[in-house]
Structure formats: C-alpha cells, structure tokens
Amino acid sequence: MFTKKNMLYISFFFAFIGILAVIDTLYFGREESFNLTRQIPWGMHIAGYVFFVAISTGLCLIASIGHVFHLKEFEQMSKHLILLSIITLFAAFFVIGIELEYPTRLIIYAIISPNLQSPMWWMGTLYSLYTVLLVAEFYFLQQKKFKLAGILGLIGVAADIIAHANLGALFSVARPFWSGAFLPPYFIVLAIQSGAAVMVIFLTLIQTHNKLQLTSSIRAGRRLLAIAIGVMFLFQASRMMSSAIMSAPDVYNGAMTMLAGPLKWHFWIGEVFLGMLLPLGLLSKSSDENNLAVYASCSAIFGMFFMRFNHVIAGQMVPVRDYYKLELVDNFLQYTPSFSEIATIVGGLGFTFIAYYYAEKYFKMEREIS
Amino acid sequence: MNGKKRYAMVIDTHKCFDCKACTIACKMENGVADSDQEYRNWVDTGEIIGVFPNVSQKFTPGQCNHCTNAPCVKVCPTTATYRDENGFVRVDYEKCIVCKYCMIACPYDARFVSSTTHTVDKCTFCAHRVGRGELPACVETCPSKTRTFGDLNDPKSEVSKLLRENEYKVLKPETGAEPNIFYI
C-alpha cells in the first residue's frame, strides 16, 4: 500500500484539491471562502501552518542532532531530512500565504516598518533566517562540505528552537487559554514528535523504494517518536488537569471545550486516541520486520493535526464579551472549517510529497546515504 | 500642562435604554458595511433582573477602548495599528496584512475584517470629526447623553468632572491594557 507510486497518485489528487481551494479563495474572496468570524478569526489555516512548521522544525532538529553529535542513525539520512524540512516549511508558507490577505505587504512592511515588540514580526524574521540557513545547509551537504554544513546546522538548530519557541509565545500573549510558560517547550516537543513521525514514514518509503538499508535509522525514529508521545502525554495531562481544576474561568472554559464541549470528539478520539494511545500501542508491537511503525506514525500525524486544531480553536471558542455568553446555548462559539480551508491543508500535504519525490530525483539523492 | 491631550469617553450605563442610535450613527458616519459581523460599536444586553412587574435590565454600550497600553498595538507585526498623537488607536490600512493577530489580542472584541477596506477596521473615536472640533458621531447622536467625550488632561472637561464626582470602572483591568473608556 505504501509504495511511492501509490503515494504519488494520492498526492497529485491532494494537490488538485489544494488548487481548487486556491481558485475558490481567489475567486470568491476570503470572507466568502472561509468560515471565519469576528469572534473566531483564526481557523484551519493557522492550525495547518503550525502543523507544517512543526514538522519542518522537528525534521531539522533530528537531522542537526545527527550532524552535531555524530549520531549515525540520524546523520546518515540528514540530507534527506533537511530536504524534507525545507519542503514542509514551504508547505507552511503556502498555507499561511492563502490565509493572509496581503502576504507581500508583510515582506515589505516587516522591513520598512517593523514592530520589534510583536511575536509575529519575530516569527517572520526568525523563519526567514531559518529558511536561508536550511537551504545553505542543504547546499553545502550537496557540495560535500560537511564541516560548513555542520556549522550552519548548529546555527540553524538555534534559530529553529528560538523560532518555534517564539511561535508558542505568539499564542501565549494573546488569549488566557493559550497563556503559560510551558507553551514554548510544549511546541518544541510537538515538533520533535511531528519530525519523528514524518521521518519514520519517509525513511520506510525510501528503504522500500530505493532499496537502501535504513533499519537502524527507522528504529531510532520509532524510539524517538515513542518518547516524544510519552512526554506530550504528560504535558497534555498536566495542562488539562491544571486548567480544569484550579484555573481562571477563561482557561477553565477553554479546557472544557476539549474535555466535554464542542471539541470533545476532536480531543478524545483525534488527539488522545489517534495521536497518542494508538501510536504507542502500535509502536510497542512494531519491529524491524513489520510496518506497524508506519501506521503508528500516520495515526500520530493525524492526531497531531487535531492537537494543533484543538489548540488554536479552543483558545477562541470562549467569547471575550459577556454578550455572547448570554446569546449562546452552550456558552461556546462555534467553528466548522469550510471546504476551502480543509482543501488548503490537503493541498499542502500533496505538495509536500510531490515536491520531495521530484527533488530527490533532481538532486540525485535516491540511493544516497551521507 | 504640556498641551498633550488624553481623550477618553465616560459611559453612564444607567442612562442607556438600548435605542442603538449610536450604532447607526457610527455606521453612517464611517461607512461601515451593513453586516452582523461588521460594527465599530455595540450595545450589550444584560440579564433581566427581578420578577415581573419589578424587573430591570442593564445595557452596556461598548467599542474600542483606545487603551494606553493597547495589546493590539503591541502585537501588530507591521505597526499598521498605532496610537496617534491624540492617543487614538488607529489602523493604517496600507500597512495592514490582515493577519488578524490584533483581533485575537483585543480583550474587547473591538475589531473586525471590513468588507469595505479589506483590512482590519475599528473605532477611531471619529478622529476626523474630533480634528474638526466636533464630537464622535455616537456621542453627538445619543439622545440620553449616555456617552461623554473629552480630554482627561483638562481638569475642566466634562469627562474629568464625571470621573471626579462618580465611582467608575474600566472593563477587564486585569489585562493591563489601561483602557480609556470609563463606566459610571
């Protein structure tokens, strides 16, 4: 089932859906195409952006850890992981580019009229720096200048960690439910979990299709994924317990949207079961001889998307004005993503796989182990 | 006195009877689209208190609080949202990228995406009218004089007097935003 060809066909279909989303957005406009409101202005695109950026961050961290600490399991595939990290970062830019009304203005005014107080300005700046470092690292790896690539990798990791922790801070300054010092490290663990899951899937595909022996790397990826899920489980459990037991009303209500409110299925089935319990169960039974780790990774990635979605939406479902509290039946605002919003994320997934497939061919990396 | 103004609004909720003339005046004055998502000011309806025939209800007009320490100004990546020399929090439509971070950060739900400007929009305290020496449209139109507008740095202004003579509160003081709309 997980052959490269099958994945490529599916990816082209996904990319086609993504193109429909772009046409829909440009033709009808964002107000018509997206189910966003005055009260819930951030939706599926923001969740998707964080999702792709986290994958990119995680892959870069794993690859660079391999470089810096000479861990053979990760180092031997670092070039593939860096390439995939670049591609997922561009998928994130695609998603956020569709969300923003004027993405070009961001580039212009972030330079000529910057606000250094704004976490979003820092996000744009740090991710731009990160993109340049990633591309440069990949270039020097391609040129076999490993020492230079290693130095860039180290700087890249620093920029990457700061950028992703800043993404956590971006949320935490805005709404009560998102606030908390734990959010930046939570984002870093999410990134490692995402990177490990994507790494297991892609390395298994590369091993099968390109006939490379990557057993030790996949095994390391499996272990890293299991550890990251375990840490994430502890993070989420402590977050939910502290929010639901002893927090301010807005934080309590934010947690309740997930525990027992409109996001309960997203949380218990998507985030807890698909994102944590099922992958951990499958990983415990996985071995070098079976493909259970791939299924575990797919489930974990699906669950992690719910995790991002729940995080972004739960923070906004609690109305900031009392008026809404009187008008609402169950005390929460509602949000259901539109076709265009969902299709943009699906398109991003398709783009990622197609771009990787052809980039691997273009850079003649199919049979390459660094 | 250095001549710098600190404009503020005092709202006497006891006088408001929910006629919504302020919301209409605002839309007409500022060309805000006729949409349930697009409005610069509003009147919140409180719970009905008591049992018939002894019942009462409180109405609370609301809008951008033109905060001194405005969260929207802090989070805007391109400085599209800024405080002008009069302390009015305003949006430079040319710089706005519609990231909506300001809408998320605003504790008062005072911002929206305008279908007219295709950027984020909000109350400006009718800066164009104030510049001509006039009152904001919502203040001028209010039949019960619920809203009072003026310079807090002028001790003789009506807003200064009202705050001296009455107990007042601001909305969500815990955010540290230092709003400039006061409720008596």
Side-chain angles (χ1 to χ4, degrees), chain B:
Chain B
M1 286 277 290
N2 58 9
K4 200 174 174 193
K5 293 185 187 302
R6 184 190 162 196
Y7 284 110
M9 188 178 284
V10 176
I11 296 178
D12 185 348
T13 50
H14 303 94
K15 291 181 179 174
C16 180
F17 56 93
D18 198 23
C19 70
K20 294 192 172 68
C22 52
T23 62
I24 303 296
C26 176
K27 285 207 177 222
M28 297 302 287
E29 177 67 29
N30 296 295
V32 178
D34 183 17
S35 152
D36 63 354
Q37 291 283 307
E38 299 181 44
Y39 47 87
R40 291 184 176 193
N41 62 4
W42 60 87
V43 181
D44 279 346
T45 310
E47 283 176 273
I48 295 170
I49 300 162
V51 181
F52 182 82
N54 299 315
V55 290
S56 66
Q57 195 170 20
K58 192 174 170 186
F59 304 107
T60 309
Q63 62 188 70
C64 169
N65 282 243
H66 295 272
C67 309
T68 304
N69 193 22
C72 55
V73 173
K74 279 188 187 169
V75 300
C76 179
T78 58
T79 63
T81 291
Y82 64 101
R83 285 191 89 220
D84 73 8
E85 63 282 1
N86 288 320
F88 299 163
V89 176
R90 302 179 67 179
V91 179
D92 181 341
Y93 300 140
E94 285 301 307
K95 287 186 184 174
C96 179
I97 60 169
V98 201
C99 65
K100 295 175 275 187
Y101 198 11
C102 53
M103 291 170 66
I104 292 280
C106 175
Y108 306 109
D109 185 25
R111 294 170 161 260
F112 59 95
V113 178
S114 163
S115 58
T116 315
T117 61
H118 298 286
T119 61
V120 172
D121 198 16
K122 62 178 282 298
C123 159
T124 63
F125 261 167
C126 280
H128 59 290
R129 290 173 60 95
V130 175
R132 296 195 300 252
E134 298 168 18
L135 289 170
C138 58
V139 177
E140 189 165 287
T141 204
C142 180
S144 60
K145 300 292 173 207
T146 296
R147 296 160 183 264
T148 309
F149 178 80
D151 177 15
L152 277 184
N153 283 345
D154 175 4
K156 291 179 189 159
S157 70
E158 192 63 24
V159 283
S160 296
K161 270 190 223 165
L162 283 170
L163 294 190
R164 267 201 308 273
E165 291 165 6
N166 294 281
E167 278 188 28
Y168 61 86
K169 64 167 193 171
V170 294
L171 299 179
K172 300 193 176 182
E174 70 279 6
T175 60
E178 298 175 35
N180 283 304
I181 294 203
F182 300 87
Y183 291 86
I184 59 175

Side-chain angles (χ1 to χ4, degrees), chain A residues 16 36 47 54 66 79 100 167 177 209 227 245 264-265 300 333 357:
Chain A
F16 172 71
L36 300 173
K79 202 167 130 185
L100 292 177
L167 190 59
F177 180 65
H209 191 78
I227 293 167
I245 294 169
K264 62 179 182 285
W265 298 114
L333 295 159
Y357 182 85

